[in-house]
Amino acid sequence: MAQTNNATLIRREIITRLCRLFAEGRLEDIDRIALAMAPRNAQTNGSRCCIHKARAIIKYRIMALLGFNVADETDELESLYSYALRALAGTDRGEGVLTVVGEACTSCVKSNYVVSNLCRGCLASNCMVSCPKNAIVMENGQAKIDSLKCVGCGLCKEACPYHAIIYVPIPCEESCPVKAISQNSEGIEQIDYTKCIHCGRCMMACPFGAIMYKSHLISILHQMMKADKPVVAMLAPAVCGQFRASYGQLVTALGKLGFADIFEVAQGAELTARHEAEELGHVLATGQQFMATSCCPAWVELTEKHLTQLKPFVSETWTPMRYTAGLVRDKYPDAVVVFIGPCVAKQAEALKYPGVDYVMTFEELGSLMIARGIDLQVFEVEEQGAVIPERQFAASSGVLNSVAAYYSGEQIKPLVISGLHKKNMAVLRRLATGKHDWNMIEVMACEGGCLSGPGGVSSPDVARKLFNAQSGVHTEMLVQ
Amino acid sequence: MNGQVEVSICYGTLCFVMGGSEFEMIQDQLPSDIRHLVLVKGMNCPGYCNSQENGKPPFVTINGKLIGQANLQKVISGIMGELANGTDK
């Protein structure tokens, strides 16, 4: 989910500055962004030790915005301008979609269990006695946990009669549904890309904003400037909850930004819903117990990398993005196709299948509008004509409702999985055992659906409210 | 007595993206005992963002007084302040 906090606002300010430099043809000044944002003698906001650290972090944030994996840095003195030129030349920008800004990672705690100063250093020392790894010693009258020995079992916490041992979470690790992020020997988090499903939950969880997605923005701006091919935007339906604007106003804005044409991804979603309804009828008729939706790329990757026993149950129907890309190619065979949405995992999906060239987030779209001085409020509001009902794909339950609208067959017994948090991961693991009577399962990695995606502008509550007011479709959560 | 305090929120895209989106929930966030005393309005961008002296976005005015880098908490305490002033008179 997009949250409005200092970490997201700083990211948006950096994106805006980058877009502005590009528009003004002053990309060579890119290394000055850090100096402008953290000027000499300025106070840091307290969470960073000094402006030099703050500048270093801004530099690596820009490196990620230029599309590079921060972990791939080989020469610390390589300038951002050099990275920018390499990005424009189309060099390989490393693996993964998410990247850890090591400088910003404060390496939270080495062990999840910490002895607080409430410890009385008691005679019984139940913590020491209960520890299976001999990880606790008494030092200066208080217990101390050796993080190298601690395995995080939590028995000491249970054993302490003073409740002096507390559990301290590591937010990114805690939020990752697939244990793909962990500390290296220096205590800095690193992502295992063989496990990562690109859901973006770690990025939203990190209070220091230390995890970023590798952006395609510079390549998109470059393509628009070159103007040798039409750059066509595909706008995901979640957009209706992201700005204070009608769909028509957004289309006007995208035209002004330089997109040659704008396609609504809800068009592709209609095709997805129709095909998926047909597939569901077929699959259930042949005796398969259930089918799961295929539109959320993080969920599909979860079944490819982890819950492989569920993969055969995932629908083979294309995602709305792929269908829409097909519609774009029919009209503009040589187009540069840009998907604009709230999703980080769509980047990985775009790499897997041909048809979509770049992925842009709503946050980047918002920052680009700021940089180009575009104010949605001044555009005329057109009368809302017929609305594609599949706009509801953006919200949890929306895909199920859409599929049900085209489906005829035995009764649908739906299960809606909204968000890949711990509880839902446990539900998904149990699914494959077959001991349930659901026959259609909708899975979205983000709580509440794409409206709460990591690349959004508005927080989930705001996004839902605006979506219900502006999209022309109303979303009701199905009972879970 | 509706509208004792007038809150105007900049609906410009810049303010909205830079944190102003949170004000969409302002009616739900106002303490229920003062909700009826507050009139919340939106305004098209009056250009506060063009001058650095005004501080950073998002911008909100409370009875005409400009608040920069506004957030829900700042605005609610601003409203409380106005209400306290009003009863002193």
Side-chain angles (χ1 to χ4, degrees), chain A residues 4 9 12-13 16 20 242-244 363 366-367 369-370 374-377 457-459 461-462 465-466, chain B residues 11-29 43-45 56-58 69:
Chain A
T4 301
L9 294 182
R12 287 174 201 172
E13 184 178 344
T16 305
R20 212 171 266 153
Q242 293 295 329
F243 297 94
R244 180 170 250 290
E363 177 177 76
S367 305
M369 285 195 277
I370 295 176
I374 287 177
D375 185 1
L376 290 161
Q377 292 294 304
V457 167
S458 300
S459 62
D461 287 351
V462 173
K465 189 174 173 185
L466 288 174
Chain B
Y11 278 166
T13 300
L14 187 148
C15 277
F16 187 90
V17 171
M18 294 310 288
S21 60
E22 288 305 294
F23 297 119
E24 295 297 320
M25 306 307 277
I26 191 165
Q27 289 291 1
D28 312 283
Q29 298 287 331
M43 56 183 166
N44 282 343
C45 173
K56 283 188 159 190
Q69 243 177 324

Side-chain angles (χ1 to χ4, degrees), chain A residues 294-297 300-301 304 311 314-319 321-323 325 329 337 345-359:
Chain A
S294 61
C295 49
C296 172
V300 173
E301 196 140 346
E304 284 166 358
K311 178 71 180 127
V314 175
S315 160
E316 283 171 7
T317 299
W318 283 11
T319 63
M321 176 171 92
R322 287 183 73 190
Y323 277 122
R329 297 271 174 216
V337 180
K346 281 287 176 202
Q347 261 198 42
E349 188 193 327
L351 280 179
K352 256 194 249 178
Y353 307 104
V356 180
D357 298 295
Y358 299 109
V359 173

Side-chain angles (χ1 to χ4, degrees), chain A residues 64-266:
Chain A
L65 281 175
L66 292 172
F68 289 87
N69 190 326
V70 178
D72 290 344
E73 178 196 61
T74 50
D75 175 10
E76 252 186 274
L77 284 182
E78 177 162 6
S79 68
L80 289 171
Y81 185 48
S82 159
Y83 281 116
L85 292 179
R86 283 211 274 144
L88 294 180
T91 48
D92 177 38
R93 280 173 266 175
E95 62 175 343
V97 173
L98 293 156
T99 173
V100 178
V101 179
E103 286 282 340
C105 175
T106 59
S107 47
C108 291
V109 281
K110 293 264 193 298
S111 153
N112 282 131
Y113 290 92
V114 174
V115 181
S116 73
N117 59 7
L118 294 173
C119 172
R120 310 279 301 267
C122 67
L123 181 62
S125 301
N126 289 331
C127 55
M128 284 172 73
V129 177
S130 67
C131 178
K133 295 289 174 190
N134 280 327
I136 302 182
V137 289
M138 279 295 170
E139 244 180 49
N140 302 324
Q142 288 199 324
K144 196 176 171 225
I145 298 174
D146 180 347
S147 62
L148 292 176
K149 290 183 182 166
C150 175
V151 290
C153 68
L155 288 173
C156 55
K157 176 177 180 273
E158 299 303 318
C160 176
Y162 293 109
H163 296 212
I165 298 179
I166 50 170
Y167 176 80
V168 184
I170 300 175
C172 60
E173 292 184 15
E174 192 108 332
S175 68
C176 178
V178 293
K179 293 191 169 33
I181 188 162
S182 58
Q183 293 180 342
N184 65 14
S185 53
E186 278 88 48
I188 305 292
E189 296 293 334
Q190 59 184 11
I191 297 170
D192 179 347
Y193 296 110
T194 61
K195 291 182 179 169
C196 179
I197 59 171
H198 322 292
C199 64
R201 296 179 75 87
C202 54
M203 177 184 122
M204 295 184 278
C206 177
F208 284 89
I211 300 161
M212 294 187 62
Y213 53 86
K214 292 161 49 191
S215 173
H216 291 171
L217 193 58
I218 186 117
S219 309
I220 299 167
L221 296 175
H222 186 53
Q223 291 290 351
M224 283 186 182
M225 197 188 66
K226 277 202 304 187
D228 54 346
K229 293 176 191 166
V231 181
V232 177
M234 304 194 299
L235 203 46
V239 78
C240 298
Q242 293 295 329
F243 297 94
R244 180 170 250 290
S246 69
Y247 189 80
Q249 286 176 308
L250 287 158
V251 168
T252 309
L254 286 172
K256 289 213 182 291
L257 285 174
F259 287 101
D261 201 349
I262 296 99
F263 282 65
E264 192 174 347
V265 177

Side-chain angles (χ1 to χ4, degrees), chain A residues 281-402:
Chain A
H282 177 73
V283 154
L284 296 182
T286 55
Q288 187 175 309
Q289 190 189 357
F290 64 92
M291 190 179 87
T293 52
S294 61
C295 49
C296 172
W299 149 243
V300 173
E301 196 140 346
L302 177 69
T303 66
E304 284 166 358
K305 288 183 171 170
H306 303 276
L307 305 178
T308 47
Q309 66 275 33
L310 288 176
K311 178 71 180 127
F313 297 97
V314 175
S315 160
E316 283 171 7
T317 299
W318 283 11
T319 63
M321 176 171 92
R322 287 183 73 190
Y323 277 122
T324 312
L327 298 174
V328 176
R329 297 271 174 216
D330 287 345
K331 196 169 169 190
Y332 306 96
D334 64 338
V336 175
V337 180
V338 181
F339 173 87
I340 306 178
C343 188
V344 171
K346 281 287 176 202
Q347 261 198 42
E349 188 193 327
L351 280 179
K352 256 194 249 178
Y353 307 104
V356 180
D357 298 295
Y358 299 109
V359 173
M360 184 184 197
T361 63
F362 291 144
E363 177 177 76
E364 290 172 331
L365 174 62
S367 305
L368 179 59
M369 285 195 277
I370 295 176
R372 301 279 287 276
I374 287 177
D375 185 1
L376 290 161
Q377 292 294 304
V378 303
F379 301 139
E380 216 167 296
V381 186
E382 293 151 52
E383 188 110 350
Q384 180 135 278
V387 164
I388 305 172
E390 281 74 21
R391 278 188 185 171
Q392 60 175 320
F393 263 58
S396 191
S397 299
V399 178
L400 247 168
N401 288 336
S402 303

